[in-house]
Amino acid sequence: MNVSIVPALKALIPAALVVAVVLLGLVVGFWANAAFYPGTSPEQPIAFSHKIHAGENEIPCMYCHTQARRSISAGVPSVSKCMGCHNEVATQRPQIRKLKNYWENKEPIPWIKVHDLPDFVHFTHKRHIAAGIECQTCHGPVETMDQIRLTDAAPMEMGLCLNCHKQKEVANGLDCWTCHK
Amino acid sequence: MPEAKELQYADIHRDVVRSIVETGPKYYITLGTAIFVTLLCFFFPWFYQLYYGIGAAGLNHPQVWGTYLASFIFWIGLSHSGTLLSCVLHLTNSSWRKAMYRSAEAMTLFSLVVAFTFVMVHLGRPWFIHWSLPYPNQMEMWPNFRSPLLFDVMAITTYLTGSAIFIYMGSIPDFAAVRDRTIGWRNTMYTLLSLGWRGTDREWHRLHWAYTFLAVLIIPLAVSVHSIVSWDFALSIVPALHQTIFAPYFVVGAIYSGTAGIVTVMFILRKYMDFGQYITKVHFDNLGKLLLVLSLIWTYINMVELFTGWYSGASTEHEALQYKLFGYYAPLYWEMILFCAVAPLLCISKRFRTSFVPMLILSIAVNIGMYTERFLIVGTSLSRQYLPDAWGLYVPSLVELSIILGSFALFSTFFLIFVKIFPSVSMYEVKETMSTPKTEPEAPPEGNPA
Amino acid sequence: MSILDRIADGWRKYRKPGYYDEFDYHWGMTVDLDRCTGCEACVTACQSENNLPIVGEKAFAEGREVKWIRIERYWEGEFPDVKLRFIPMLCQHCDSAPCETVCPVSATYHNQDGLNTQVYNRCIGTRSCAVYCPYEVRYFNFYDHHWDSPLDQQLNPDVTVREKGVMEKCTFCIQRIRQAKDVAKDDGRRRVRDGEVQPACVQTCPTQALVFGDRKDPESQVSKLMNNPRTYRVLDELNTDSSVVYLKKVEDDHA
Amino acid sequence: MPNIDRRDFIKLVGAGSVGVGAGFMLRETIKHPTEQLIPHVIAPEDFSTGIATWYNTVCSMCAAGCGISVRTREGRAKKIEGNPSHPVSQGRLCALGQAGLQVLYNPDRLTGPLMQTGQRGSGSFAQVTWQEGLDKVADRLELLTAENQGNRIGLLSQGVRGHLAQLFELFADQLGSERLLHYDFDHPHTLYAANHRFFGEARLPYYDLKNTRYLLSFGADYLGNWISPVHHSLGFGHSRQGRSDVRGRFVQIEPRMSMSGAAADEWISAKPGTEGILALGLAHRIVSEGHYSGVDRDDWTTALSGYTTDQVAEQTGVGADTIRRIADTFVHTEPSLAIGGGSAANHSNGVDTLVAVNALNYLVANIGKPGGLVFNPEPAGPASQDRQASYRTMLELAEDAKQGNIEILILNGTNPVFSLPSAGFEEALAEIPLIVSLSSFMDETTALADIILPSHTYLESWGDDFPEPGVGFSIGSVSQPVVSPLYNTRATGDIVLQLAKQAGLSDAIPWSSMKDFIKDGWRLIYDRGGLDTQKESFESFWRSILKAGVWGEKTHRDPAFTLDKRVINSIAVPPPEFSGSSDAYPFILHPYVSTTLHDGHAANLPWMQELPDPMTSVVYGSWVEINPATAGQMNLKEGDLVDIESPHGQIRAPVYVYPAIMPGVIAMPIGQGHVTYGRYANRGVNPIEILSPRVDQRTGALASSATRVKIKATGRRIELVKTGGNSRELGREIVQTTGGKASQGHSAKLNSIPITVVPT
């Protein structure tokens, strides 16, 4: 009589193999989705390039995101603001024509949000700018991006907030009610 | 001693293995029904509640706890019978324990699992339950170690682990016995489960040692688990809950309902699994005595509870008592007294204790009474708190009642699967209680005590 | 220091004299029952400021309404010698709050400003805080609440709309406190001035029965009122050490 | 590793694909949903994203005229608060005022012009354009005016003040119509009449609750909804605890305890309708005890001779001791004040009652003094109270309509079908060929209209207000739109101006918009001078008013006043008359304007429906209040449905056993019982339906408290929806008081239980 568990385990190998392959598949599928469809860099209605504007032409962030220094939200520039320059600049490029279309139809541009916080988070741009935080600390090196995206260095997660609050020894910076509403 | 004088080692093996291997249509019908009822009455309403919100239950302000928590205590209580009783009896060397303890321990295990599902059902956002576990995370949030609810999480997981190891360890020799009598996938399964058990002296020695060690460990654990469950209530300042008697009250109540639960399960095993030769009048007699003692202790504690409430002289305590005794749920209270304090007095009579059907009825009545007790603890005290203007009334909804019903089906499902996997009577320990066989059994003596 | 001592210390620290000295604020409120008329302007103010749901008649009948501040009413005597007394009941922001000990995930805790916090996104819905609260001012979201369009346009963007399964309660209008601190920082002030921040209920109270302020500041209106001989705390015998202090109603017999 | 054959391979490939798919989908489900970021096309000037903007304007939820500040974010109104610089509200606001947001954002608002397509009352409407709707009305108006038939045009508005009222005047005048009426259910006609009779001017004085030390209120629920509840509450709070040396005492006299009764130090229940007699009894005591020493003392003695304490005690049911005590306190506490209104004024002797109350003020000489009764100066802008239609006037209007004398009826926000009892108003409306409604909501009257030209809500339109009563000096406030219009609606003023234009009246009414009209009106106020207005231009004056939301002129009236002897000689309060015999109808019905829903116009606001009634904590429904002893005798419990029957109708409501109501009186709140007013309002019953058409003899105002009823148990019961549990304290000392039992043995100090702090 055989009492060893080894042969019994051997008999289980095919089944175990199937399970292992399923698990491996899960990981691969998850990774594939994350890698190829991250959703952190959606295609925008107009292929606006921060690289050209903020990087090459060195337009300051708050030239367009004017609200940032006085409001909780940074705000996106109005279509008229875009047209302020693009009435003159690069008017013939296809993307600028798109912009012109929006402007002529008096329609807003339906940008897709990339840097988004959940609704239960109170984040105020004003205070952070007043404290001298660079935009890039949370938004990543946008001036190098053709298409805006979330980066691993600035993933818009709570850990990032906490680290910074700890490093800078923000008063009551670790209290939940400083940020959660 | 068992009544069947001619019972042989071989018979034990035959009966037990038969109970595992031979499966009639009756079993499948029962299992099918149990699974169906579980899905229909437990999971369907629960998913509805997940979708709709806790509003699907009858809860309201101020009565934010209800039958889910009552059921949680009930199942935790039921779990106490098994492993705790088994340990105590093991340490006191009570031979009559041996035929019943396996199923009792299984009850413990499954009751705990069902109790855990009730925690999930109870929570407003069960999908975040992992936040009650301490693990490092980027939010740098830890659970609140001051919370009795967290004590609960710890206590119950420990108890669950302990009970699982206990029942498994005790079953190893029996798995080996079954392994040697089965073929095919069952053989594979039991080979794995028996961990290469050969029945050598050394193995037996170690098993006994480890088993006793665990038994000693589990007793305080079991007592602490229900004490901690009681602290969920006693640490609040709700009138009628904020009482020092609560820990012993809960522990005694738990053992009480657990013991009654064992009677029920044993009756069913005896009747429907043909274990008549193993589960005998002796067991019922002893359990009856135990029930009687427990009921007396329980009654005493109840009287103490009433007395302290009255003696406090506080309007809040008086009102809470008043509501319990004479309020909306007064019929339930008196039903509980009848079932849990009065009815068990019948166990004074030996004739009663040794009659199977009356004992079954009593055991069911006690558990109904004990469920009522839990319901009253949760369901009435919160309605009568400090501010009279915020008083309320709580009536359980259909969803809740259905989930309670479904939880019994869930428990039965687990149990039905259990009896087909585990030898539901401990073969080797029953054998220990028998005289040496007259003839050599056909099977190798893997379970023969030295 | 053993772990038990640490736990006990965590429990006790808010009540130590001088605990709040190292922080900027210790918010508190007084409720003058001699001024309160039970008009419930505070109730609506709270509902409109804090996105409290419109639950509907059915939910109301089931007792699932959400009112962070409510008026309790108690009759005294029989006709014709009968009195009705009102008392506004809201989260008392107890310095030793029973609810804070029980939350297994620390969704409710005491913060450095003396506020009893409720972090909605951390809440898992055990509802035990509501059981432990003797004032019964914690309200549970039994459903996902719905605002018939366009009523949703009124919702305050500074306050979360709570989802089903989450406990909620009075926050002393934390969004207003935050805003006032923001303004103070802009002005280069360390602290918020007395009266600069008022929760919605205090702001609207037509009889000025409610007063809110910093208990640490001895010159604040609320500190002065707390020295009034009429002060008492509801359920003081429970030693909750609440931050909401009531001023007794003045009753004399036909003087 | 075992050999993998073909079948195993296929299995593994299958398993792998399932795994990959599941993993992919798993991440898909936990992905953050994409949100859009919509910019402005052109950045607006009046707000910045994320920053709140406040607009000062005027509350229109009741007639008090509180100044309000509306908080807006991203162009949406978020919160209404009192305007701190407005003297009426002083930064405070009642529940109803704050619920104004739900008028604006009400899901049941009318979104554009409608035309009735079916039978009237069938509720079938078709959408039309503004031009179609306006044309149809304007053509008819023009036709009638041209034929000099202008008086066949009726204009029926809710009570409006300021330049909108003036515009209606102008419009009616140019049309040649004299049928311009304002109708509000709770307009205090009797109070105006009594003041006119006693003081010689039909205006409300300012009641200085703030500085008074002793207030006698005869039925006026001044904290609930009488005239200006927010301002009264401010005064109440200050009088109670705002002064270091004195605490004001308040006495309330009414058959059913109102909010003000609960807040009062003493609540006295006199028999319904005898409040005036009680007032004269007090006056008699004051005069006969020699506490009054004016020159006309003898006239008073003669006039009051029939009101000796014992007689009055018998008539009113108030103890003689109480009468003496109150009279003595009233005269000895300076300053003291008496006010009257509410149920006391809604009897057949309403005006006489209020005259008697005024007499009390006269006898303690508090007129023009702080803490007394202060005359208001002439309002700076247009006033309109003489247009307020009494019940009798409305009956006449209905009669006219039945005679076929009215061709067009233009309704503005008023709802007489709901709030006019036993008048046959619906039948009268049936005789009018064209009914036009300017209401923002489908109320019961609007549902009978042929053309609906929906108005903006007050938060979307221009307007102004000159509060009545003022606060002792002249104030005016401008109301400005705080949000852009939600729907295809227009401001009431703009509709009227447009109608005038199309009807060919643009010579007399040349303004193109309400804003211009108001601005021109305010130019007059500016031109009148005063203050420093000369220094600034009108534009900056206008801007500063818009910013502050209020303008005031600190000119006070001369308090000098001589009382006509004839008034003294004629002073008397006849016993009240009731409809229905006391045998057949044993109870007097005491209908009161609901604190939360007002006269019913707030019933479509969910916040108000969900606001527990202050006294009973009932929400969402109607109920009838019965004295506990009476309920015990009739074996009625809370929630028992009873039929309440008067000689004029029958309604069904659940019982609420109310500890503070006289036996023989039952009370019901007005406000519920709507049928077409939207999802939140259509519930409960309307007690106005069973009121008898009895009026106050002098004014023709409805004597709404003069109906007798009987109640019959139906044997059915419902669960009253309310928030309160047990309404007794059970000795738990939750609401502690300085007097009585609770004060003994209980320290008033903080932390009466010592807390041990372990030093570490």
Side-chain angles (χ1 to χ4, degrees), chain C residues 137-199:
Chain C
V137 288
R138 292 180 152 268
Y139 290 85
F140 187 69
N141 283 282
F142 288 98
Y143 321 97
D144 265 336
H145 294 288
H146 169 78
W147 283 260
D148 283 348
S149 176
L151 282 173
D152 51 353
Q153 294 195 14
Q154 179 273 327
L155 295 177
N156 186 352
D158 294 336
V159 179
T160 321
V161 173
R162 283 77 57 184
E163 72 165 2
K164 67 184 174 209
V166 169
M167 191 60 75
E168 62 182 66
K169 64 159 195 81
C170 162
T171 63
F172 270 168
C173 284
I174 179 66
Q175 68 281 8
R176 291 184 175 211
I177 296 176
R178 211 182 269 138
Q179 172 75 21
K181 285 183 179 174
D182 194 60
V183 171
K185 268 187 192 161
D186 285 351
D187 293 358
R189 278 180 285 134
R190 194 175 125 74
R191 306 177 83 252
V192 172
R193 275 193 291 260
D194 187 35
E196 199 174 352
V197 52
Q198 286 181 323

Side-chain angles (χ1 to χ4, degrees), chain B residues 29-40:
Chain B
I29 290 168
T30 324
L31 181 66
T33 317
I35 291 176
F36 178 72
V37 175
T38 308
L39 289 177
L40 186 74

Side-chain angles (χ1 to χ4, degrees), chain A residues 72 119-122 124 126-127 130 158 170-172 174-181, chain C residues 23 109 111-112 115-121 157-160 171 174 178 182 185-186:
Chain A
I72 53 168
D119 288 345
F120 50 74
V121 180
H122 167 89
T124 153
K126 175 181 157 185
R127 279 265 75 78
M158 188 167 152
V170 178
N172 312 326
L174 300 181
D175 182 41
C176 304
W177 263 7
T178 301
C179 307
H180 289 301
K181 53 182 187 180
Chain C
F23 303 107
Y109 69 97
N111 84 353
Q112 72 285 339
L115 297 173
N116 175 264
T117 62
Q118 174 68 29
V119 185
Y120 310 123
N121 47 313
D158 294 336
V159 179
T160 321
T171 63
I174 179 66
R178 211 182 269 138
D182 194 60
K185 268 187 192 161
D186 285 351

Side-chain angles (χ1 to χ4, degrees), chain C residues 9 12 15-17 32-35 37-41 43-45 47-49 52-57 60-61 65 67 72-80 82-87 89 148-151 153-158 176 198 200 202-208 226 229-237 239 241 245 248-255, chain D residues 71 73 76-79 81-82 91-95 98 101-102 105-107 223 230 233-234 236-238 240-242 247 249 257 259 262-263 265-267 269 325 486-487 606-607 610-617 619-620 627 658-663 679-680 683 721 723 726-729 733-739 746 748 750-753 755 757-758 760:
Chain C
D9 190 55
R12 254 190 248 116
R15 309 169 69 182
K16 278 184 204 152
D32 191 342
L33 297 180
D34 204 30
R35 285 180 184 241
T37 65
C39 71
E40 300 190 317
V43 179
T44 307
Q47 185 153 23
S48 115
E49 172 75 17
L52 299 194
I54 299 156
V55 295
E57 186 174 5
F60 236 110
E65 79 275 12
K67 303 258 182 243
E72 298 208 336
R73 36 190 77 65
Y74 293 106
W75 290 98
E76 188 71 37
E78 298 297 338
F79 181 86
V82 57
K83 284 193 175 91
L84 180 58
R85 297 172 183 153
F86 297 108
I87 181 167
M89 192 49 68
D148 283 348
S149 176
L151 282 173
Q153 294 195 14
Q154 179 273 327
L155 295 177
N156 186 352
D158 294 336
R176 291 184 175 211
Q198 286 181 323
V202 176
Q203 192 282 326
T204 205
C205 179
T207 58
Q208 301 176 324
M226 282 191 183
R230 286 191 291 133
T231 49
Y232 79 101
R233 284 175 166 139
V234 173
L235 305 180
D236 203 9
E237 66 272 21
N239 270 339
D241 220 357
V245 170
K248 289 183 182 179
K249 192 174 169 71
V250 177
E251 275 182 15
D252 42 3
D253 299 313
H254 311 321
Chain D
R71 175 175 184 253
R73 268 278 297 266
R76 289 169 177 177
K78 298 293 177 190
K79 178 100 180 21
E81 290 179 1
R92 312 282 155 166
L93 202 61
C94 68
Q98 302 186 61
L101 288 173
Q102 298 199 319
Y105 292 125
N106 200 297
L223 298 173
V230 174
S233 298
L234 274 160
F236 173 84
H238 187 266
R240 266 279 168 85
Q241 290 294 342
R247 171 180 180 273
R249 275 182 63 79
M257 187 188 276
M259 243 176 76
D265 296 274
E266 195 174 354
W267 174 71
S269 54
R325 180 168 49 77
L486 255 68
Y487 300 116
W607 285 347
E610 296 211 338
L611 191 67
D613 176 74
M615 302 301 284
T616 61
S617 87
V619 291
Y620 280 117
N627 179 282
Y658 194 78
I661 186 169
M662 291 179 78
R679 65 196 78 180
Y680 299 107
R683 60 186 78 237
V721 184
T723 60
N726 189 322
S727 62
R728 297 279 170 170
E729 238 183 355
E733 296 181 5
I734 294 157
V735 190
Q736 293 186 10
T737 59
T738 55
H746 197 96
L750 279 187
N751 279 336
S752 54
I753 300 171
I755 295 168
V757 175
V758 184
T760 42

Side-chain angles (χ1 to χ4, degrees), chain B residues 227-263:
Chain B
S227 301
I228 287 172
V229 169
S230 84
W231 292 347
D232 288 353
F233 300 91
L235 289 185
S236 76
I237 44 177
V238 177
L241 292 187
H242 186 50
Q243 301 200 14
T244 44
I245 193 82
F246 254 48
Y249 182 29
F250 270 50
V251 173
V252 168
I255 301 171
Y256 188 23
S257 70
T259 312
I262 292 175
V263 174

